[in-house]
Amino acid sequence: MDDDEPNTSQLRFEDGEIVEPSSEVGNRDEDHIAGPIEPGDRAGFVVEVKPGALDVNGTLVDAVEAHSHILEFGSRTHAESYARQLSTSGGSLRIQAAAENDPSEIDAYLLADHSPSIKEPAHVDGDTWTFDIGANLYGTLGEAILLEVPKPHAIHYFVRKDLPLDEGELENGLKIDVQPGRFLSVGEDGGRNNWVPDCKVVVRDGRNGPVLERYYCEIKTGNASFKRSQIAAMEQLAREERVLKIRMLIEELPDQYSLRIHEVESPA
C-alpha cells in the first residue's frame, strides 16, 4: 500500500500534551492530531511495532498491550504525529516505510530512533569494548541501588516511617527481610492478572517472630512505565496486601559501560 501524503505536520508537546498545532500547512488529519492520538481512531495506514521500539519507550508498551503489535492510523502523517507524541514521554521513535516487496499488509514500521548497541560494542579501542546501556539495564541499575545488600537503607527508612510502632517495645527487635519477588496470579477465575513483584518486604518482631507488615513492590527507573497488566494485578492485590510502586530517580545515569577481559594464564 502506498501513502503519497507529504509529511507536513508540525506539532509541539509539553508534558505529553500538544500545546501548539502547526498552522503552516493544513491536512486531512488536522482534527485528529490537534490532541493526544490513540491508535485505531482512523483506519487505512497500518504500522507494525518493532521490538526495538518497545525497548526504549514504555508508553508504547502500554499501547501494544491495549491493541497489538499492529496499529492502524488514518495516514502516514497521523502515524508520524503519534510517534512524536510518544517520543515526548520516553525514548525517541520514528516511522519507516515498509519495502515495496514486503509481502505483509504493512505500510510502515514503528522503530526506535536510536537502537542501542547492547549486543555488539558501540566502540572498540584496542582491548576495551564499550557497549550502550539499554532500557532493561537501566531498570536493573535502579533495582540494584534500591535493593542494596546486605541492608537496603532506603527501604528500611521507609518501613520505620510507615509503621506506627515503638521499636523499644518489640520483644526481639525490628527485623526487615527483603526477598526476591515470586510469580503471583491475582484475581478471580476468568479475570486473573499475573505479576512478578521486584521484591517482597516482610517486617517481623525478631527473625522468627510474628509478621508486623508485608509489602509487595514494583520498581521502575527513570521514565519507564508501569505496564497495564502490572497495574491491574497490583490494584487487585492491594485489596488484601500492601503494594508499593517505587520510582527510582537517578541523576546522570551512564549511557555506556566499558570493559576489558583478560584470561589468566597458568605459569610455565
Side-chain angles (χ1 to χ4, degrees):
M1 303 180 212
D2 294 327
D3 178 58
D4 56 2
E5 182 176 348
N7 177 17
T8 59
S9 175
Q10 300 277 338
L11 303 176
R12 182 165 64 89
F13 291 80
E14 290 182 3
D15 298 327
E17 298 291 336
I18 300 174
V19 296
E20 185 179 316
S22 172
S23 59
E24 294 180 5
V25 183
N27 61 73
R28 67 174 179 258
D29 279 332
E30 184 176 355
D31 58 333
H32 285 272
I33 60 178
I37 297 171
E38 280 293 328
D41 284 347
R42 290 186 66 180
F45 190 78
V46 182
V47 175
E48 179 181 344
V49 177
K50 304 303 285 185
L54 297 172
D55 288 340
V56 303
N57 194 291
T59 306
L60 181 60
V61 174
D62 291 340
V64 167
E65 287 190 345
H67 301 279
S68 74
H69 280 77
I70 305 299
L71 306 178
E72 197 158 4
F73 302 92
S75 67
R76 176 164 181 157
T77 297
H78 196 205
E80 288 178 339
S81 297
Y82 178 73
R84 287 194 294 273
Q85 173 181 302
L86 263 61
S87 296
T88 66
S89 62
S92 182
L93 303 172
R94 63 185 175 89
I95 294 292
Q96 176 177 298
E100 291 185 2
N101 60 353
D102 193 320
S104 65
E105 295 295 318
I106 300 296
D107 294 299
Y109 300 102
L110 184 56
L111 308 171
D113 197 28
H114 166 64
S115 298
S117 298
I118 58 178
K119 296 181 179 179
E120 298 289 336
H123 305 289
V124 176
D125 183 7
D127 62 351
T128 301
W129 300 340
T130 299
F131 292 81
D132 289 340
I133 293 180
N136 289 339
L137 188 50
Y138 276 123
T140 301
L141 287 171
E143 290 178 30
I145 292 172
L146 181 64
L147 304 179
E148 173 192 1
V149 294
K151 184 177 181 179
H153 295 286
I155 290 179
H156 280 237
Y157 182 83
F158 169 82
V159 170
R160 286 186 163 87
K161 289 291 186 180
D162 182 63
L163 296 183
L165 52 83
D166 183 350
E167 293 188 42
E169 296 180 355
L170 297 178
E171 184 176 351
N172 298 301
L174 189 66
K175 171 64 176 176
I176 302 174
D177 184 20
V178 181
Q179 307 169 358
R182 298 181 180 274
F183 175 84
L184 297 173
S185 183
V186 187
E188 302 294 334
D189 291 340
R192 303 188 72 81
N193 289 283
N194 300 330
W195 175 41
V196 180
D198 289 314
C199 70
K200 174 182 172 182
V201 181
V202 181
V203 185
R204 297 178 180 271
D205 181 357
R207 183 174 299 277
N208 298 312
V211 174
L212 304 175
E213 191 56 273
R214 181 168 49 216
Y215 308 88
Y216 294 83
C217 311
E218 182 68 25
I219 305 165
K220 297 296 183 185
T221 303
N223 60 8
S225 298
F226 292 90
K227 298 179 180 179
R228 292 178 188 267
S229 58
Q230 291 174 331
I231 293 174
M234 288 188 285
E235 289 177 346
Q236 287 178 311
L237 184 62
R239 297 171 181 171
E240 302 176 358
E241 301 280 356
R242 300 286 303 279
V243 179
L244 305 179
K245 295 169 64 176
I246 302 175
R247 174 73 61 185
M248 290 292 292
L249 303 176
I250 306 172
E251 297 294 334
E252 298 182 1
L253 276 168
D255 295 321
Q256 297 179 321
Y257 66 94
S258 301
L259 73 156
R260 301 186 185 95
I261 300 176
H262 297 287
E263 183 178 0
V264 176
E265 299 181 359
S266 62

